[in-house]
Amino acid sequence: MRSVRKCSRTGCLEPAVATLTYAYSDSTAVVGPLATASEPHSYDLCEAHALRLTVPKGWEVVRHEGAFAAPDPSADELTALAEAVREAGRSDRPAPPPAEPDGPSGRRGHLRVLPGRA
């Protein structure tokens, strides 16, 4: 199953809606709609980071006109989700065995009794 791509910014868990690419020879950063595939030299950004992007002095930013939209889930994603829900609801899977307590209190202590030598 293909998961939702997340924003490339450190610590950001928002879904990506835009792709940032650089044209170093032109000193230009391009922020456009989310690319169909993740590329090694591009960065996925959430809407907040795509709108607040700043570039170094002397660089130009070319931005997508209009609102950013999250990509629609593909049929593969919907099928995988349905399969996961179906698998989770199966009743023919064996239940895991219950854990047995290791002592009178049900806790395993840090001290053990070792057999002595005679």
Side-chain angles (χ1 to χ4, degrees), residues 37-107:
S38 181
E39 297 291 328
H41 300 290
S42 63
Y43 302 91
D44 295 335
L45 299 175
C46 65
E47 186 171 15
H49 286 122
L51 295 174
R52 292 188 313 200
L53 177 78
T54 60
V55 294
K57 188 175 183 176
W59 279 61
E60 182 182 355
V61 178
V62 176
R63 292 186 196 272
H64 167 70
E65 293 293 325
F68 293 109
D72 293 329
S74 69
D76 292 340
E77 290 174 326
L78 293 175
T79 302
L81 178 60
E83 290 293 330
V85 169
R86 200 173 298 124
E87 180 68 23
R90 282 181 44 195
S91 61
D92 62 338
R93 290 187 305 175
E100 293 184 25
D102 288 325
S105 67
R107 271 184 49 202

